[in-house]
Amino acid sequence: MRLPFRFNLTLGLALVTLVILGAVFAPLLTPHDPILDADLMNSEMAPSWDHWFGTDSQGRDVFARVLYGARVSLTIGIVAQAINSTIGIALGLSAGYWGGWWDDTVNGLTNLMLAIPSLVFALAIMAVLGPGVVSLLIALGLTNWSWSCRITRSAVMSLKSQGYVQAARTLGYGDIRIMLTQLLPNIVGPVLVMATLGIGEAVLAEAALSFLGLGIRPPAPSWGNMLTDAREAIRSVPWATIFPGLAVFVTVLGFNLLGDGVRDWLDPRMQVRA
Amino acid sequence: MGRYILRRLLQMIPTLLAVAALIFLIFSVLPGSFAGTMTGGGRRALSPELVAQINAQFGLDKPLPVRFWDYLVRLVQFDLGTSFRTREPVVDLIAARIWPSLQLALSAMALAVTVGIPLGFLAAMRPGSLLDSITMIFAVSGLSMPQFWLGLLLMYVFALQLGWLPSFGYGGGQLRNLILPAIALGFAPLALLARTTRAGVLEVMGSDHIRTAMAKGASPSQMIRWHVLRNVMVLIVTTMGLQIGSLLGQALVIEKLFSWPGLGSLMVDSVAIRDIPVVQGTILVIVLWFLVINVLVDVIYAAIDPRISLR
Amino acid sequence: MTIRATMGALLLAGTALCAPATWAQEVQRGGTLNFTAPYGSSVGTLDVTASAEVQTEIVAHAMHRSLYKWNPETGKPEPDLFTDVTVSDDGLVYTYKLRTDAVFHNDKPFTADDVIYSYNRIATPATASPSANFISRIQGFDDVQGGSATEMSGLKKIDDHTLEITFTASQDPGFDLMQNYVPIYPSNVEGDTQATQPVGLGPFRFVEHVPGSRVSFERFDGFFGENDQPYLDRLNILIMGEAAARDVAFRNQEIDVSVLGSQQYQEYQADPALSEGLLEVAELFTRVVGFDTTRPPFDDKRVRQAVNYGIDKDLIIDRLVKGKAFPAVGFMPTTSPAFDPDAQGYAYDPEKAKALLEEAGHADGIDLPVIANQNESWGAPIVEAIIPMLDKANIRVSVEPVENAVLEDRITGGNFTAFIWSLSSGPDPLNILRCFYSKTAQSACNYTNFSNPEVDRLYEAAQQERDEAKRNDLIRQADGIIREEAPYWFFNYNKAVMAYQPWVHGLRGNPQELAIQDYDKIWIDDTAPADRKPQ
Amino acid sequence: MSGPLLDIRGLTIGIPNRNGPPVQIVRDLSFDIMPGEIFGLVGESGSGKSASALALMGLNRRPLTTLKGQAFYGGQDLLAMSRRSMRKLRGNRISMIFQEPMTALNPLARIGSQIAEMFVLHRGLSWSDARPKAVEALAAVQVPDPEGRARAYPHQLSGGLRQRVMIAMAMACRPDLLIADEPTTALDVTVQAEVLRLIRELCEREGTAVLLISHDLGVIAQMCQRVGVMANGRLLELRDAKALFTDPRHPYTQGLLAALPRLGSRAVEGRHRLADLDMAIDRDAPDFAKTYLRPRGEAA
């Protein structure tokens, strides 16, 4: 049975939109403050009309924390990946275009970054910088650009010999201008797909680092530290772990499906098959 | 081929040295010190003399460039130094952990291969169908859960509720103990493999030579056996290699959660107590593993694809 | 509301402490115990003299013995490797009659040489042993540390089983020499091999260490214990740092004992079956937020008191710590002999907190940044809970979460405004009072840079006082001043809780550290799972 | 020669559209092919030639669908046949060669086994029996050193050789009909003629009919007895080749021929020149082909 629409793309887009809307309109969606509305008398209350997702061990509203946590997690995911993509594209473009010793250098750097597992690298950076959003952005933004770089570089290598690039060069366009106006638009597709997947990875990495004790600073809510804090209470206070867990799941699933969907969409071959 | 491998192995040396330098640099600015952790968490006070003794014993009183030089000199003699914490050679500590680590990584990979690749095939047979979507969403969900969360869920369901498997620990390294952490670790590479396989199958199925094979009158099963599998493998091998290569490093959360005595948990512990030689040693081993696997992948690549020659 | 640490709490702890031991059931011999080491995911070294980790101590206690041993019931050190001791009139020279029936795992009989060897080894600067503090009062220690001697002059062998030790201060050496960190090693074994192939004279003999997973032992037949102890044939110490995993394993009956956090404490109490097997003890740890008393505005006593008044610690202990702690009155814990049962702690009074703050000239409020680790009962989560409370008193609290290694470095280095930590407050109250003596370095344990002439005077007097009751009285007076001066927010005294399976007997509530158990006194009955029960 | 080998009636191919009539790529195409005949289908790219050929083989890919029509082969309708019986015909009775010999071969399999596959599939031979037959088939298409080439991989062969391999594969089971979809378009000019000659010779020898699809009038003229002209999915004109080239009736065909610059006044001159050229390569070419040769290099 064939589905009548692009299932992955649609579902992914829907999930991601849901999460983004939740993050943006958090103050409108819940009357509770995620940090200061802490009443220990109301701790660990089951979901109710007042507290849709219940309350956590500090008596804070889990729904509010999931919503505001979306801001933190999405910021970390998107900004960290934006840093990664920017570094990857800049290095990949210039290396592929100029070649020579610069290419060799970038290549060596890429291989180096690939060889050190990004979580290990991020862990080390977090240990140096200490917990916090900015540290996380640096730790996750500097450790995962090698793929975007590789893809960009190989795309540029095959593109730069093509007619229109040659034409631009004979027209006397500068190197930077050629890279930005002639090459960049042609590699945006695959890099976008990589970035979508990378956002999901960054959200997960934040959770993993929180588990290892190197996440963001409490009491600010992030899904990673909500999960980590409540993991021992999984049987008696399940709502404190299940909802942030679901939030991570939905978000990462959404970005993954979106990435897959965009890839299928950009590559029509994937759709038309015997 | 022997020469090729030798040359590739030699080429690793600069990368390893660069990694070593990078790690050294990062950990030289790391706040906190090993001596500081010797208070046993507020249990006892350390005299400044003792702190000085400890630092002197590990050469931490020397200036940074001297320490780096000493480190390099030892490194080229395959000496990873001595652990601050256990005062044993780091090589010994790593040796004790490497087999459990490999066991976990390889079984996670085995799981990923045996489930992920068939799933990818299944999805690719009917692209755009409900089956495809369900299969891929299942696979992608493996990429969408924090590892420790997945591990905890597995623990609760299979160890506690069903009582089928032990919840933690290495035991004697039996299969029973291995299953849950392997699933928790293998789910993400499984998903990646399923995805790569699907894309690979679709790409191969769309290629001209498959049309030729159909024009020849081959049945779908003959076509898959003779013309798809091998070609898809070329595309899958890279993903597999990258995954195997990076699993040692990805395992740290799972190893901590399941009390699995691998390199990852050794590294995390050592970072926590600032046992820097061990941290450096484990990272180097993890990187070395990645590089060796990469060479292996290239060799396998050449074996599958006649167009590639090892030069 | 007045906080009054009642004797009830003490008694409660006391009964729980004895409960498993008093079951009138025939002791069964044999079987395997799966004990847990809950403080991390590995045991660093097996040589406890090279470590300050409780994990190592848990392991070492199975195979090693020290000169003295700790008696949890009396709260005092008592003889272990000696049968008799005579003390000189000045209280500096101790002559020990050593045990004649003790044998090492390598069949070497225990003699005075082993004690001399072991202590000298710790004192040698080359070993950089963190245990050195515990033997620093033996005469000649400084010479060995300084390199001018290789052996401490205060250790004198009279004969094989008579040993004379000269100390430099008249304090009871038992508290130091009972430590598991100063074990007696056989003098005929190279010290370095203790890290991998430990040999001791304790009840269990080392079999195997699977790093990061477990340490296994078997019964040592030559152990000197009474009643032909130990009872168990085998002992596995399983390394399980992750509490959630430990919980599953315990419920799954894969492990025989587990140390509980507050969350599980609450859950286990609520479970009719699990609540039967809980061992609780008031541990000698005081949880505090410490201020740098030299740093404004916390150099003002009123500001520190305002913090103490501004926090509803009962509520935090009740809801967040889930009853797994006793509210703190002052620094000395309820189980300390220097505890003052009549003392009143700071009650929750936000108005008074505000007033004090205004009085101190901070009407527009102050900032209180706290460095904290991740610990659920004395780390960032506690600070999170006081944020909204102190917010009402105009004190703006923020958390700076740091790793343990950094926390300890910053506290000992004085690099903080405030920190939250768990501090040892026992077993020797005099030793604890030293941490409030103005001449004690911040890095040693006077973390708050506390300085009060009256406390100094009381400490010096207590040091000289040979009578225990009078000494404790002096310490109690000093504790009162400390409570008033409030260098800390006194939060709680730890209640340690251990869960044990119904077939486990002979656990004792050790207020020093519950996870350190006398394995030789533990036995299991035949209701244990088949792979572990006595045959 | 009793009746056509393949009789196509009203073949219509298009993309089904949920909300309206389907988009038609090929409309109501009807023609037949006689046994042993070389039938040419000519038209611009996108005119529906290839889609029609693939439809006959049942190889069109979604969303392209055969909407209606019949194609009778030996009394059976190819378009209504079960997949299984279609598979039995494919490669065996009706085979096909493609435009792009670079990619039409499996890059990871040896030439020999790719040809041998035909014998395994349709003759029921074991792989070990099929391999020598593959070498014979390579020899039959005049590949030098067939033994060695059988062990080679496609990337080790030149374009012309690869197309020969394709022909060997297609002719391995001596089919009744060979569908050649732009068989020489991707090849060098000099190789083109050799490949065309090879096809013609083999088919003459085996009595195989050919459906030759090309946008290149020269190729068509050189090879075919009858020609159909397609444009925009329709068959405009179906004539005897000689008649078509000398007296095109449909304005489109006229235009097509007129668009070839040397077919006007100077055509004869050009034709002779080329005939000479071609004679130099191919002395035994049949007369009619020489007559309609057109200058090479005009293929566009």
Side-chain angles (χ1 to χ4, degrees):
Chain A
M1 174 194 148
R2 276 182 62 76
L3 294 171
F5 48 90
R6 296 177 196 278
F7 189 79
N8 289 1
L9 190 64
T10 317
L11 185 61
L13 207 58
L15 294 179
V16 169
T17 312
L18 182 79
V19 175
I20 291 176
L21 287 180
V24 171
F25 296 109
L28 302 180
L29 294 170
T30 174
H32 299 287
D33 183 278
I35 297 169
L36 287 178
D37 274 3
D39 181 2
L40 279 176
M41 291 309 289
N42 285 334
S43 66
E44 301 185 351
M45 304 229 303
S48 66
W49 184 244
D50 260 359
H51 302 286
W52 292 358
F53 290 180
T55 62
D56 68 2
S57 60
Q58 303 266 3
R60 297 172 298 207
D61 184 59
V62 175
F63 182 61
R65 285 180 74 76
V66 167
L67 287 182
Y68 283 92
R71 292 182 165 191
V72 175
S73 292
L74 283 183
T75 306
I76 289 169
I78 293 170
V79 176
Q81 187 49 45
I83 300 174
N84 278 321
S85 297
T86 311
I87 297 176
I89 292 173
L91 289 181
L93 258 181
S94 53
Y97 186 80
W98 281 317
W101 68 270
W102 175 239
D103 188 30
D104 292 341
T105 312
V106 170
N107 231 344
L109 212 55
T110 315
N111 287 337
L112 187 69
M113 294 299 297
L114 268 180
I116 305 178
S118 52
L119 186 59
V120 172
F121 205 172
L123 182 82
I125 297 181
M126 287 306 290
V128 171
L129 298 178
V133 174
V134 176
S135 317
L136 269 173
L137 291 180
I138 295 173
L140 298 176
L142 292 182
T143 51
N144 216 4
W145 48 263
S146 36
W147 282 109
S148 332
C149 179
R150 274 203 167 176
I151 288 179
T152 310
R153 180 175 163 272
S154 58
V156 169
M157 302 253 269
S158 67
L159 281 175
K160 73 172 174 184
S161 57
Q162 284 189 3
Y164 64 97
V165 179
Q166 303 284 9
R169 209 175 289 168
T170 46
L171 283 172
Y173 282 22
D175 284 353
I176 303 289
R177 184 168 169 191
I178 292 177
M179 283 187 222
L180 294 183
T181 60
Q182 309 294 315
L183 295 174
L184 190 59
N186 284 289
I187 52 171
V188 155
V191 169
L192 195 72
V193 172
M194 287 289 313
T196 325
L197 305 179
I199 293 173
E201 276 173 42
V203 171
L204 289 180
E206 187 267 328
L209 288 172
S210 286
F211 175 79
L212 298 173
L214 291 163
I216 72 160
R217 286 181 178 207
S222 87
W223 295 334
N225 65 15
M226 290 175 76
L227 273 178
T228 304
D229 290 350
R231 71 182 187 278
E232 277 179 52
I234 190 167
R235 42 175 55 245
S236 57
V237 195
W239 52 88
T241 38
I242 284 182
F243 291 109
L246 274 178
V248 174
F249 182 70
V250 162
T251 308
V252 182
L253 184 71
F255 277 109
N256 270 301
L257 290 178
L258 190 63
D260 280 358
V262 170
R263 179 170 34 209
D264 282 3
W265 184 47
L266 289 175
D267 184 359
R269 277 186 311 169
M270 296 295 171
Q271 286 290 309
V272 188
R273 277 302 106 87
Chain B
M1 192 166 89
R3 267 180 107 180
Y4 168 81
I5 293 176
L6 187 71
R7 211 187 66 242
R8 285 289 303 270
L9 291 178
L10 287 176
Q11 279 171 356
M12 287 178 194
I13 292 172
T15 312
L16 282 173
L17 284 180
V19 169
L22 190 66
I23 304 168
F24 187 90
L25 210 71
I26 289 178
F27 286 102
S28 64
V29 294
L30 191 64
S33 68
F34 173 71
T37 67
M38 298 288 266
T39 59
R43 276 158 209 275
R44 70 167 77 163
L46 291 190
S47 64
E49 297 80 29
L50 182 60
V51 172
Q53 270 175 22
I54 292 172
N55 286 339
Q57 197 187 28
F58 303 123
L60 292 173
D61 50 348
K62 293 186 209 160
L64 198 64
V66 176
R67 270 156 59 197
F68 185 54
W69 177 249
D70 290 350
Y71 173 61
L72 282 186
V73 167
R74 281 202 310 267
L75 198 63
V76 296
Q77 300 163 10
F78 300 102
D79 178 1
L80 295 175
T82 306
S83 159
F84 296 168
R85 186 191 192 197
T86 72
R87 308 189 183 190
E88 289 170 63
V90 172
V91 175
D92 291 357
L93 292 182
I94 289 174
R97 302 286 192 125
I98 198 136
W99 173 235
S101 244
L102 287 181
Q103 245 183 327
L104 182 58
L106 294 179
S107 15
M109 204 57 211
L111 176 88
V113 167
T114 48
V115 180
I117 294 182
L119 269 188
F121 263 96
L122 200 66
M125 288 299 110
R126 299 257 179 283
S129 69
L130 190 65
L131 178 77
D132 177 24
S133 285
I134 290 175
T135 314
M136 289 324 284
I137 287 174
F138 169 75
V140 171
S141 60
L143 285 174
S144 309
M145 275 181 268
Q147 272 181 341
F148 71 88
W149 173 241
L150 175 65
L152 265 182
L153 292 182
L154 288 172
M155 239 183 227
Y156 271 95
V157 174
F158 291 101
L160 195 56
Q161 302 295 334
L162 300 173
W164 291 349
L165 296 164
S167 60
F168 79 100
Y170 184 60
Q174 306 93 325
L175 189 63
R176 281 163 48 78
N177 291 71
L178 194 55
I179 292 175
L180 290 185
I183 294 176
L185 181 61
F187 208 161
L190 182 158
L192 280 172
L193 268 183
R195 204 190 224 170
T196 316
T197 306
R198 175 179 176 273
V201 170
L202 287 181
E203 185 168 336
V204 172
M205 292 293 278
S207 61
D208 285 351
H209 70 85
I210 290 301
R211 192 177 57 184
T212 307
M214 287 177 75
K216 283 159 127 180
S219 71
S221 73
Q222 288 162 329
M223 203 167 63
I224 286 172
R225 259 182 295 144
W226 296 342
H227 297 291
V228 179
L229 275 179
R230 197 180 160 102
N231 301 59
V232 171
M233 280 317 287
V234 172
L235 299 168
I236 295 177
V237 158
T238 315
T239 310
M240 270 173 64
L242 274 171
Q243 289 302 313
I244 299 180
S246 56
L247 269 183
L248 282 193
Q250 285 167 8
L252 36 97
V253 168
I254 291 299
E255 287 179 4
K256 259 193 95 65
L257 183 67
F258 284 93
S259 307
W260 192 264
L263 287 174
S265 65
L266 178 64
M267 195 206 89
V268 176
D269 283 1
S270 304
V271 171
I273 61 158
R274 305 298 188 251
D275 192 349
I276 303 306
V278 180
V279 178
Q280 289 166 335
T282 41
I283 295 182
L284 274 183
V285 170
I286 289 171
V287 169
L288 182 68
W289 166 256
F290 179 88
L291 296 175
V292 168
I293 290 291
N294 254 0
V295 175
L296 209 64
V297 164
D298 286 349
V299 171
I300 293 173
Y301 224 90
I304 302 178
D305 192 336
R307 288 169 295 183
I308 294 166
S309 59
L310 299 176
R311 253 173 295 144
Chain C
M1 195 181 100
T2 308
I3 294 165
R4 190 183 288 270
T6 58
M7 287 311 285
L10 257 179
L11 287 173
L12 188 84
T15 34
L17 177 155
C18 301
T22 52
W23 277 336
Q25 199 178 341
E26 186 71 24
V27 167
Q28 295 191 23
R29 290 177 182 280
T32 305
L33 181 77
N34 281 350
F35 202 79
T36 48
Y39 303 111
S41 44
S42 60
V43 170
T45 170
L46 298 177
D47 177 6
V48 69
T49 67
S51 172
E53 296 171 49
V54 187
Q55 288 286 77
T56 307
E57 197 183 346
I58 291 172
V59 169
H61 194 53
M63 42 191 184
H64 296 301
R65 283 296 151 115
S66 306
L67 203 53
Y68 290 80
K69 74 177 171 193
W70 164 249
N71 184 333
E73 272 108 25
T74 60
K76 289 203 184 78
E78 60 183 39
D80 196 12
L81 290 177
F82 63 95
T83 48
D84 191 39
V85 63
T86 49
V87 188
S88 66
D89 289 341
D90 59 0
L92 294 179
V93 182
Y94 283 61
T95 310
Y96 296 95
K97 276 291 187 202
L98 301 179
R99 255 181 196 281
T100 52
D101 57 350
V103 181
F104 286 99
H105 301 157
N106 63 357
D107 296 335
K108 181 194 179 302
F110 165 65
T111 64
D113 293 325
D114 300 313
V115 182
I116 295 171
Y117 163 78
S118 299
Y119 289 173
N120 278 330
R121 181 175 166 275
I122 292 170
T124 312
T127 59
S129 169
S131 304
N133 281 351
F134 296 121
I135 54 160
S136 60
R137 272 198 294 267
I138 297 176
Q139 197 179 61
F141 173 80
D142 290 338
D143 298 333
V144 176
Q145 285 271 294
S148 61
T150 54
E151 291 180 357
M152 289 186 282
S153 54
L155 296 171
K156 215 171 287 164
K157 173 183 175 181
I158 309 293
D159 62 47
D160 265 2
H161 293 103
T162 313
L163 176 71
E164 186 190 285
I165 304 182
T166 310
F167 295 95
T168 51
S170 66
Q171 236 165 299
D172 181 357
F175 283 111
D176 280 347
L177 299 184
M178 74 177 185
Q179 296 288 339
N180 291 314
Y181 293 100
V182 285
I184 304 305
Y185 286 165
S187 53
N188 65 344
V189 168
E190 194 60 42
D192 295 345
T193 62
Q194 291 285 357
T196 47
Q197 284 295 325
V199 179
L201 40 59
F204 288 91
R205 185 206 295 267
F206 173 77
V207 175
E208 183 190 20
H209 177 204
V210 183
S213 176
R214 69 184 150 86
V215 191
S216 300
F217 305 91
E218 63 184 13
R219 182 178 197 278
F220 172 49
D221 294 329
F223 182 61
F224 55 78
E226 57 208 22
N227 301 330
D228 199 18
Q229 289 166 350
Y231 303 122
L232 296 164
D233 279 345
R234 272 173 303 278
L235 170 68
N236 293 320
I237 295 180
L238 305 170
I239 301 153
M240 298 191 69
E242 176 63 28
R246 217 162 49 231
D247 174 40
V248 174
F250 185 80
R251 290 170 188 267
N252 224 6
Q253 305 191 336
E254 294 168 60
I255 54 178
D256 295 314
V257 298
S258 172
V259 172
L260 301 189
S262 45
Q263 182 65 41
Q264 287 162 22
Y265 177 51
Q266 192 185 40
E267 290 179 19
Y268 283 38
Q269 276 179 314
D271 184 310
L274 294 177
S275 61
E276 293 292 309
L278 292 182
L279 173 58
E280 300 176 7
V281 65
E283 269 187 348
L284 293 158
F285 283 96
T286 304
R287 277 78 191 265
V288 292
V289 168
F291 312 100
D292 184 345
T293 58
T294 61
R295 194 182 287 219
F298 299 98
D299 54 347
D300 188 330
K301 176 169 94 177
R302 289 166 298 190
V303 173
R304 304 193 298 258
Q305 285 174 336
V307 173
N308 267 291
Y309 281 116
I311 303 171
D312 188 351
K313 74 180 90 167
D314 286 350
L315 182 64
I316 296 180
I317 290 170
D318 184 41
R319 304 295 302 202
L320 193 59
V321 187
K322 303 180 196 318
K324 205 186 93 65
F326 304 102
V329 180
F331 195 79
M332 293 297 172
T334 48
T335 31
S336 168
F339 177 72
D340 182 356
D342 299 322
Q344 295 193 357
Y346 292 90
Y348 176 51
D349 191 344
E351 289 312 311
K352 191 157 185 185
K354 232 175 181 166
L356 279 168
L357 213 56
E358 274 174 37
E359 203 182 307
H362 301 290
D364 47 349
I366 55 163
D367 291 313
L368 174 55
V370 185
I371 54 172
N373 68 8
Q374 299 285 322
N375 192 288
E376 55 171 8
S377 36
W378 45 276
I382 302 298
V383 186
E384 280 184 71
I386 66 178
I387 290 174
M389 293 179 182
L390 287 181
D391 196 58
K392 294 183 184 109
N394 233 350
I395 300 171
R396 296 174 292 272
V397 182
S398 59
V399 198
E400 185 184 343
V402 290
E403 288 175 274
N404 255 328
V406 180
L407 184 74
E408 294 171 17
D409 244 30
R410 285 182 63 176
I411 293 173
T412 51
N415 182 12
F416 64 88
T417 302
F419 63 86
I420 182 164
W421 216 12
S422 171
L423 296 172
S424 171
S425 46
D428 180 4
L430 183 62
N431 202 29
I432 296 308
L433 189 60
R434 192 177 59 94
C435 296
F436 295 89
Y437 185 49
S438 62
K439 295 199 178 82
T440 305
Q442 182 178 35
S443 65
C445 68
N446 186 5
Y447 307 117
T448 60
N449 281 319
F450 187 76
S451 171
N452 181 291
E454 185 58 17
V455 170
D456 286 357
R457 192 188 62 75
L458 286 165
Y459 174 67
E460 280 159 11
Q463 243 184 337
Q464 300 306 318
E465 182 56 63
R466 300 283 303 280
D467 181 85
E468 193 187 333
K470 285 182 187 158
R471 187 169 66 231
N472 284 340
D473 212 47
L474 293 168
I475 299 170
R476 203 170 292 124
Q477 283 179 44
D479 190 36
I481 298 168
I482 294 165
R483 183 167 54 242
E484 164 73 16
E485 285 290 321
Y488 291 113
W489 166 54
F490 303 104
F491 176 30
N492 71 45
Y493 311 126
N494 183 36
K495 182 200 279 186
V497 182
M498 183 179 263
Y500 57 93
Q501 304 286 5
W503 51 83
V504 179
H505 308 275
L507 296 170
R508 296 200 296 174
N510 177 359
Q512 266 214 97
E513 168 56 65
L514 184 56
I516 307 290
Q517 287 288 334
D518 286 330
Y519 305 106
D520 48 327
K521 301 199 167 46
I522 301 174
W523 57 278
I524 57 177
D525 65 43
D526 51 15
T527 59
D531 60 328
R532 303 203 287 279
K533 72 178 185 187
Q535 294 310 310
Chain D
M1 292 231 188
S2 55
L5 176 69
L6 181 66
D7 189 1
I8 298 153
R9 293 182 196 163
L11 177 64
T12 302
I13 303 167
I15 301 166
N17 185 349
R18 241 165 238 271
N19 315 312
V23 181
Q24 294 187 354
I25 303 294
V26 173
R27 295 173 217 192
D28 202 20
L29 182 71
S30 300
F31 65 92
D32 55 9
I33 299 172
M34 304 304 286
E37 175 191 34
I38 301 184
F39 184 95
L41 207 51
V42 72
E44 296 170 70
S45 43
S47 59
K49 313 170 304 250
S50 292
S52 308
L54 289 169
L56 294 177
M57 297 288 280
L59 291 180
N60 265 327
R61 285 182 172 151
R62 273 198 302 247
L64 273 188
T65 315
T66 303
L67 298 169
K68 57 182 188 238
Q70 292 99 33
F72 290 105
Y73 166 84
Q76 290 171 288
D77 180 4
L78 293 180
L79 304 180
M81 224 176 232
S82 73
R83 283 173 193 227
R84 180 180 291 267
S85 19
M86 190 63 219
R87 272 207 301 276
K88 282 200 178 127
L89 286 183
R90 268 190 220 143
N92 186 12
R93 303 315 332 139
I94 306 176
S95 60
M96 186 158 180
I97 52 182
F98 300 96
Q99 175 174 353
E100 190 57 76
M102 312 284 246
T103 55
L105 290 166
N106 183 348
L108 304 190
R110 291 178 200 274
I111 299 297
S113 49
Q114 295 197 51
I115 300 173
E117 199 183 323
M118 300 299 283
F119 298 105
V120 175
L121 283 171
H122 299 295
R123 293 288 177 268
L125 296 188
S126 69
W127 283 98
S128 52
D129 291 341
R131 284 216 172 82
K133 301 274 282 181
V135 177
E136 283 172 31
L138 276 178
V141 292
Q142 295 156 25
V143 169
D145 182 20
E147 286 273 356
R149 292 288 147 80
R151 282 192 300 273
Y153 289 96
H155 72 278
Q156 294 163 327
L157 268 51
S158 69
L161 275 180
R162 271 182 240 173
Q163 198 60 300
R164 278 171 198 264
V165 170
M166 282 301 292
I167 294 168
M169 214 178 326
M171 296 300 289
C173 293
R174 299 160 196 264
D176 295 332
L177 174 66
L178 172 70
I179 302 176
D181 185 1
E182 306 266 16
T184 57
T185 310
L187 300 180
D188 275 355
V189 184
T190 46
V191 185
Q192 272 193 1
E194 289 179 47
V195 168
L196 288 176
R197 183 182 53 107
L198 185 67
I199 293 173
R200 195 167 57 221
E201 277 179 6
L202 277 176
C203 292
E204 264 169 24
R205 198 190 313 154
E206 305 291 344
T208 301
V210 179
L211 171 58
L212 179 65
I213 293 170
S214 181
H215 62 271
D216 186 335
L217 282 170
V219 170
I220 296 288
Q222 187 184 354
M223 296 280 288
C224 303
Q225 284 102 348
R226 286 194 300 149
V227 180
V229 179
M230 279 188 81
N232 213 3
R234 283 181 203 281
L235 190 63
L236 304 178
E237 189 167 3
L238 191 151
R239 308 266 309 275
D240 180 72
K242 197 178 289 183
L244 183 88
F245 282 98
T246 49
D247 178 23
R249 292 208 181 133
H250 195 279
Y252 177 81
T253 319
Q254 291 168 354
L256 211 59
L257 287 172
L260 300 172
R262 302 214 172 88
L263 275 172
S265 52
R266 286 177 292 146
V268 179
E269 186 193 329
R271 231 179 280 149
H272 285 309
R273 220 179 34 175
L274 259 159
D276 290 341
L277 223 177
D278 195 54
M279 288 300 289
I281 306 161
D282 182 6
R283 291 175 197 286
D284 302 315
D287 284 349
F288 74 88
K290 278 186 245 168
T291 320
Y292 294 100
L293 271 177
R294 68 164 189 113
R296 295 211 170 71
E298 295 292 330

